[in-house]
Amino acid sequence: MYKLIDHINKCKEIIELGNKNSITNLISDIIYYDLLYRSFNEGLRLDKQNDKKPSSIIGLIHETFFFSQVIKIRRLLDNSNDVYSLRKVFNEIIKHEYLYTREDYILLIDPETKNKREYELLVHDQHRKYDQISGKTPDNRAKEDRLNHSYLMEIKAYLDKPNIIVKYTNTFVAHSLNKEKQVTIEDELEKVSLRKLQENYKLLSWLSFTLSYYCNDLILFDPPSIPYEQFENWVGTIFKKDIELRLYKYWENRVKMFSCWQDKYWMSNDFYISPYQKVKRDI
């Protein structure tokens, strides 16, 4: 008989598929390439008086970064059955919603945990996580508690909304020969921007941490620490001005933006049914 633990293991398999195209690797690449590119772009802004920058290479970097990011975003939000994506994980949760009870969720804790205090802390945190997805509070818990179905439907409704980045990628990148579709969204192309990319980063962050509650496993949307020699040789080759320290500061500030999303969607007691809407309830 298919049990909750089997479903959870299936979700983890989708998330952690051991190759470069795994969900975890795609998320890591999106964040790292964003930090790298945005720092490069900031360097161009700070050193704009330098007329010896290789314009053709810089143009290629701009275009390649954008295409690379939108393809990864499309993949992570892909609703196809044959693609391992965050959306597929969500679909698995919808499909197996009936397996979830608080009792079975608590039983997901490793029974081999030997330290009593550690086990108690794990149980406490497990109850807290299940409170989030069941809509219950510590005062009205029961072992028969089910998932809050309305939360799942709200999340689904948000994910089903048209996404201009995904639409753009499907029309101009993945299926670029489809001229009829290209004509239908030409008026929306002005919305395809770095700002829209960032909105999708936030969407992916919210979705990753939200699914983490249901999967009993943290899907990290976590920015990397800046490598010590990250900007070595940038100055003196592409850039003339000594801007290395300012680039480090820019990288750190952008990392803070990514980190604040983790604080918002994972570390707080609020549960979000979209990147912008939290559940209203008494805790």
Side-chain angles (χ1 to χ4, degrees):
M1 186 175 71
Y2 201 70
K3 298 180 180 179
L4 180 60
I5 185 63
D6 301 314
H7 158 64
I8 295 294
N9 288 336
K10 174 63 175 177
C11 290
K12 290 181 179 181
E13 176 188 329
I14 295 171
I15 295 163
E16 299 168 1
L17 180 68
N19 63 43
K20 66 179 182 179
N21 292 318
S22 69
I23 288 174
T24 50
N25 284 341
L26 285 175
I27 290 174
S28 295
D29 285 350
I30 282 176
I31 298 173
Y32 177 70
Y33 291 147
D34 173 84
L35 291 168
L36 196 61
Y37 171 78
R38 294 282 188 148
S39 298
F40 175 77
N41 221 22
E42 178 69 1
L44 294 177
R45 186 187 71 82
L46 294 172
D47 196 38
K48 57 186 174 184
Q49 301 302 322
N50 178 12
D51 58 2
K52 293 186 177 181
K53 293 190 291 289
S55 58
S56 58
I57 298 299
I58 290 172
L60 180 62
I61 290 172
H62 289 319
E63 184 172 318
T64 302
F65 165 77
F66 195 82
F67 282 161
S68 173
Q69 296 295 83
V70 297
I71 287 171
K72 291 185 180 73
I73 291 170
R74 173 185 181 262
R75 160 72 191 281
L76 288 169
L77 297 176
D78 198 306
N79 200 19
S80 305
N81 288 329
D82 57 349
V83 175
Y84 276 11
S85 64
L86 288 172
R87 184 60 192 262
K88 182 173 178 62
V89 175
F90 177 73
N91 292 344
E92 285 291 315
I93 292 165
I94 291 281
K95 181 179 178 181
H96 296 99
E97 178 186 355
Y98 69 94
L99 294 174
Y100 284 82
T101 66
R102 182 181 297 273
E103 182 178 32
D104 288 329
Y105 193 81
I106 300 302
L107 289 175
L108 294 173
I109 299 173
D110 185 357
E112 300 298 319
T113 305
K114 296 179 180 179
N115 184 293
K116 182 179 179 181
R117 178 58 180 161
E118 180 184 357
Y119 182 79
E120 289 174 349
L121 290 173
L122 289 173
V123 170
H124 178 272
D125 188 57
Q126 200 77 339
H127 275 298
R128 182 193 69 83
K129 290 189 293 184
Y130 202 77
D131 288 344
Q132 298 284 56
I133 54 181
S134 65
K136 300 293 184 178
T137 68
D139 294 330
N140 64 358
R141 291 170 179 165
K143 65 180 183 179
E144 302 86 4
D145 288 339
R146 296 284 183 175
L147 296 182
N148 188 308
H149 182 70
S150 66
Y151 294 176
L152 292 171
M153 293 299 99
E154 291 281 358
I155 294 169
K156 182 179 184 301
Y158 188 84
L159 293 177
D160 285 342
K161 289 181 178 180
N163 184 313
I164 185 59
I165 291 295
V166 173
K167 188 188 294 187
Y168 166 82
T169 310
N170 286 340
T171 306
F172 288 93
V173 181
H175 306 292
S176 58
L177 293 180
N178 194 325
K179 301 299 182 182
E180 292 182 5
K181 282 189 176 181
Q182 290 177 9
V183 171
T184 62
I185 72 164
E186 280 182 352
D187 293 340
E188 298 181 77
L189 288 182
E190 63 183 28
K191 300 177 184 177
V192 180
S193 62
L194 291 178
R195 177 174 292 183
K196 278 296 177 184
L197 273 188
Q198 184 159 307
E199 288 178 10
N200 275 269
Y201 298 160
K202 188 171 187 178
L203 185 160
L204 292 173
S205 174
W206 159 72
L207 186 55
S208 297
F209 291 123
T210 298
L211 293 179
S212 296
Y213 288 107
Y214 294 96
C215 296
N216 192 43
D217 189 33
L218 181 58
I219 306 172
L220 279 174
F221 195 91
D222 191 30
S225 300
I226 186 167
Y228 176 70
E229 298 177 341
Q230 179 64 71
F231 302 117
E232 184 178 12
N233 296 326
W234 282 32
V235 175
T237 54
I238 301 174
F239 305 120
K240 289 172 63 177
K241 293 177 66 174
D242 188 4
I243 58 174
E244 189 169 350
L245 289 178
R246 296 168 75 178
L247 293 179
Y248 276 107
K249 185 65 176 178
Y250 181 86
W251 181 294
E252 290 173 357
N253 287 336
R254 192 142 183 91
V255 163
K256 289 177 183 177
M257 178 196 74
F258 287 112
S259 298
C260 79
W261 294 340
Q262 179 169 349
D263 293 340
K264 180 177 182 177
Y265 299 129
W266 182 252
M267 304 302 293
S268 75
N269 286 324
D270 293 320
F271 186 74
Y272 284 78
I273 51 178
S274 86
Y276 310 99
Q277 182 182 356
K278 65 183 178 182
V279 173
K280 295 180 180 179
R281 56 185 174 138
D282 296 324
I283 298 294

